[in-house]
């Protein structure tokens, strides 16, 4: 196998140049997908048989919950890459993804509570799915706090990577919680095998929203990582040139 | 369109407050996630511009 693609990620300069090219496409894709998904989900998808229109919250609740979990998995992988190969960019990705993941977890919990009130009659219950998502939010807080608390960058990177890896145990628990425990939460809408449990008019806009959220995450993550690379590599020649160029362009 | 009128769309079959607050809060959070990094980048470049000017003056 050819590993040059992997070694390229060791170069912050390569990342900065490539991400500059990807960012506009991701941003445009995110805006388009989210706009189409929002209008379709809110206005055109048919009402649900039992829940009426309150089910439309699914179009933000499920994408945010997916992303909150995927983001954590990505951070665990970045943590492993950082620990094994000492790749600097892995720690940048881990640190910059954490706040986005925490916000997505927040959206999933808040929209879930708002959806729960008319559907279950309560904002919150200490149910397996809800509790494991709350633990995920606290894991995000833990990683953010740990990253800020340790002033030595290498030590902070190591500690955060270990926490990200250990906390990844929670992800399969979230996934399986609706099967392992008795819960109010409905089972998965999408399954990799077998038919989706909704009709196409309902899950197509959901799929578009999920893709939109992922593009949104990609765009915001790249934005945050690019700034962090400039900060961390401030002493490199290419960063000095880049910042000088940006400053000049901004002052015109 | 699954609603007969705009009023019905806003009402969401008596679930309006739930649906709209959920969407409102979520969109606000998404906007925040875009605006904060943009502001941070601008602030960083302003700081760098000040530092470069100071270095030139020396």
């Amino acid at each position: 196998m050819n590993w040059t693609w992997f070694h390229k990620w060791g170069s912050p300069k390569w990342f900065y140049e490539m991400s500059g090219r990807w960012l506009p496409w991701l941003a445009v894709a995110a805006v388009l997908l989210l706009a189409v998904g929002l209008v379709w989900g809110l206005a055109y998808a048919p009402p649900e048989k039992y829940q009426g229109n309150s089910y439309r919250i699914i179009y933000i609740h499920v994408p945010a919950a997916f992303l909150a979990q995927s983001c954590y998995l990505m951070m665990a992988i970045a943590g492993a890459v950082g620990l094994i190969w000492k790749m600097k960019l892995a720690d940048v990705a881990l640190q910059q993804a954490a706040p986005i993941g925490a916000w997505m977890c927040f959206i999933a919990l808040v929209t879930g509570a708002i959806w729960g009130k008319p559907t279950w009659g309560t904002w919150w219950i200490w149910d397996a799915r809800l509790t494991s998502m709350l633990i995920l939010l606290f894991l995000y807080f833990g990683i953010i706090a740990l990253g800020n608390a340790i002033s030595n960058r290498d030590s902070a990177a190591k500690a955060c990577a270990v926490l990200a890896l250990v906390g990844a145990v929670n992800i399969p628990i979230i996934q399986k919680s609706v099967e392992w425990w008795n819960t109010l939460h409905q089972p998965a809408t999408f399954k990799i095998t077998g038919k989706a449990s909704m009709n196409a008019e309902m899950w197509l806009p959901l799929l578009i929203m999920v893709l939109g959220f992922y593009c949104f995450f990609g765009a915001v993550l790249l934005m945050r990582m690019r700034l962090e690379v400039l900060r961390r590599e401030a002493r490199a020649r290419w960063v000095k040139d880049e910042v000088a160029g940006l400053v000049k362009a901004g002052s015109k | 369109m699954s609603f007969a009128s705009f009023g019905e769309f806003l009402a969401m079959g008596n679930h309006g407050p739930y649906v709209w607050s959920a969407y409102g809060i979520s969109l606000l959070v998404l906007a925040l996630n875009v605006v904060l990094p943009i502001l941070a980048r601008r602030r960083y470049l302003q700081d760098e511009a000040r530092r470069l000017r100071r270095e030139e003056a020396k």
Side-chain angles (χ1 to χ4, degrees):
Chain A
M1 194 173 162
N2 186 353
W3 284 91
T4 44
W5 64 270
F6 187 70
H7 292 295
K8 277 183 188 160
W9 289 93
S11 155
K13 182 168 185 275
W14 177 84
F15 165 79
Y16 190 86
E17 283 165 2
M18 292 312 292
S19 61
R21 264 185 255 169
W22 300 331
L23 188 53
W25 294 103
L26 274 173
V28 168
V31 169
L32 287 179
L33 287 166
L34 289 178
V36 170
L38 272 179
V39 173
W40 194 347
L42 272 173
Y44 288 91
E48 209 261 348
K49 207 175 1 165
Y50 302 106
Q51 300 178 22
N53 286 306
S54 66
Y55 97 96
R56 293 183 197 281
I57 294 173
I58 201 174
Y59 295 113
I60 36 177
H61 176 74
V62 166
F66 271 6
L67 191 52
Q69 295 171 67
S70 310
C71 174
Y72 198 90
L73 274 186
M74 186 223 89
M75 284 162 60
I77 294 169
V81 169
L83 285 177
I84 298 168
W85 287 287
K86 310 266 175 270
M87 196 182 272
K88 282 190 274 183
L89 210 52
D91 179 53
V92 176
L94 197 157
Q95 302 288 344
Q96 297 307 312
I100 315 175
W103 276 120
M104 291 302 143
C105 208
F106 172 81
I107 292 183
L109 286 167
V110 168
T111 56
I114 296 174
W115 193 3
K117 188 65 187 164
T119 315
W120 303 335
T122 177
W123 301 102
W124 181 266
I125 42 159
W126 292 100
D127 154 277
R129 173 59 71 84
L130 279 67
T131 309
S132 53
M133 274 307 271
L134 190 64
I135 292 173
L136 182 66
L137 183 64
F138 289 147
L139 282 168
Y140 276 124
F141 287 163
I143 290 177
I144 295 168
L146 203 56
N148 290 332
I150 306 175
S151 52
N152 180 299
R153 181 148 293 155
D154 289 340
S155 315
K158 241 180 237 170
C160 289
V162 170
L163 182 54
L165 280 168
V166 173
V169 156
N170 190 35
I171 298 295
I173 294 178
I174 296 175
Q175 293 278 323
K176 293 285 174 194
S177 58
V178 283
E179 295 169 25
W180 290 346
W181 290 282
N182 255 327
T183 159
L184 275 182
H185 197 286
Q186 64 199 58
T189 309
F190 286 127
K191 296 186 189 81
I192 295 171
T193 52
K195 259 170 64 180
S197 53
M198 331 163 87
N199 57 18
E201 288 162 303
M202 286 183 183
W203 67 251
L204 262 175
L206 183 55
L207 184 67
I208 290 175
M209 283 301 277
V210 169
L211 292 175
F213 265 70
Y214 276 90
C215 290
F216 176 87
F217 171 71
V220 174
L221 180 62
L222 287 186
M223 255 174 15
R224 299 181 61 109
M225 283 177 71
R226 283 163 63 76
L227 177 59
E228 186 64 16
V229 163
L230 288 185
R231 283 201 171 122
R232 290 196 188 186
E233 304 291 318
R235 266 183 260 163
R237 184 74 258 163
W238 72 268
V239 172
K240 283 184 179 161
D241 293 344
E242 172 72 16
V243 168
L246 287 171
V247 163
K248 206 185 271 176
S251 65
K252 259 181 217 160
Chain B
M1 196 82 171
S2 70
F3 298 94
S5 69
F6 188 68
E8 248 179 61
F9 174 63
L10 286 182
M12 284 282 162
N14 292 333
H15 286 137
Y18 299 109
V19 173
W20 295 117
S21 63
Y23 274 82
I25 293 168
S26 304
L27 291 182
L28 197 73
V29 169
L30 291 190
L32 210 62
N33 269 286
V34 175
V35 170
L36 288 182
I38 291 175
L39 287 181
R41 183 171 184 271
R42 187 182 299 167
R43 210 176 319 121
Y44 177 73
L45 288 178
Q46 279 167 353
D47 288 349
E48 286 298 294
R50 216 167 298 137
R51 194 181 57 81
L52 286 173
R53 267 200 306 274
R54 224 182 304 132
E55 274 175 17
E56 269 170 32
K58 266 183 209 163

